[in-house]
Amino acid sequence: MLKIPNILTIGRIILVPILVFVFFLPGTLGDWLSCGIFVLASFTDFVDGFLARLLKQQSRLGEMLDPIADKIIVVTALILLVKNDTITNTNIIAAIIILCREILVSGLREYLAKFKLKMPVSQLAKVKTFFQMFSISILLAGNSGDKLLGGYGLEIGITLLWLSAILTVYTGYDYIKKGIDHALD
């Protein structure tokens, strides 16, 4: 439990209620703290896996908690962004696509685990995660980030959210196909 990758993963889970709290702070402070906490959580997602492999500290606890931590932080951020009308109208579809894929892939992994089969993360899924985290970070920066990006922050964030939603569909289909192929064998 006290391995560095596990501590980082648990830390990412602990950041979720802090993200919720700072999200509701008014003005620039809330914008930048929300963005910063999400960026920190996203960075620890990369670092914990890297360190686990580098230090040979992979564990069952880490295998279980890492995808849960990822999903909790992303789902929380998307809900907050929809709640405060940063993600609105048809753009909510992109958020729903991402949320549904997270639930679907989690269920599929759980099903395949019964057969001791693992679904390794594809390179394209890693690219999807990057765009997803980047877009959410921009959107969490709110009006402050929008100003920093010349008034285009919201458009950039929403465009990247849709790009990650499209990649989400593609990579989700790939995972589902593998799961269905196994179920039919």
Side-chain angles (χ1 to χ4, degrees):
M1 171 124 175
L2 294 178
K3 296 176 180 177
I4 294 170
N6 290 344
I7 292 169
L8 291 173
T9 299
I10 292 166
R12 197 159 61 251
I13 294 169
I14 292 169
L15 285 175
V16 172
I18 298 169
L19 172 65
V20 173
F21 175 76
V22 300
F23 182 82
F24 291 105
L25 293 175
T28 304
L29 180 64
D31 290 348
W32 290 121
L33 283 175
S34 298
C35 177
I37 287 170
F38 190 81
V39 168
L40 177 63
S42 300
F43 182 69
T44 65
D45 179 30
F46 166 75
V47 172
D48 67 5
F50 175 76
L51 288 177
R53 288 183 295 279
L54 180 71
L55 303 174
K56 297 186 183 350
Q57 292 186 345
Q58 293 147 314
S59 68
R60 289 186 194 159
L61 180 66
E63 281 184 41
M64 178 189 74
L65 286 182
D66 185 61
I68 292 170
D70 299 346
K71 285 159 187 47
I72 290 172
I73 196 85
V74 167
V75 167
T76 300
L78 288 173
I79 290 170
L80 291 170
L81 291 166
V82 169
K83 190 254 176 255
N84 84 336
D85 293 330
T86 299
I87 301 174
T88 60
N89 303 320
T90 57
N91 295 321
I92 293 173
I93 295 169
I96 291 170
I97 289 169
I98 292 167
L99 294 173
C100 288
R101 187 255 192 202
E102 297 299 342
I103 293 167
L104 189 65
V105 170
S106 292
L108 189 56
R109 280 196 170 118
E110 186 176 327
Y111 167 74
L112 292 175
K114 293 177 188 176
F115 303 101
K116 295 189 176 22
L117 292 174
K118 293 185 179 184
M119 285 183 21
V121 178
S122 69
Q123 286 303 113
L124 190 56
K126 291 178 183 182
V127 170
K128 179 268 314 172
T129 299
F130 170 78
F131 282 117
Q132 182 177 289
M133 300 302 199
F134 191 48
S135 68
I136 293 171
S137 298
I138 291 171
L139 294 172
L140 284 171
N143 291 331
S144 302
D146 198 47
K147 289 175 190 171
L148 183 70
L149 293 170
Y152 294 104
L154 181 62
E155 288 83 6
I156 293 169
I158 292 295
T159 301
L160 291 174
L161 187 71
W162 274 105
L163 176 60
S164 65
I166 291 165
L167 291 173
T168 291
V169 170
Y170 184 81
T171 59
Y173 169 78
D174 192 37
Y175 285 132
I176 291 167
K177 184 177 180 320
K178 288 177 185 172
I180 290 172
D181 288 348
H182 176 73
L184 294 176
D185 281 344

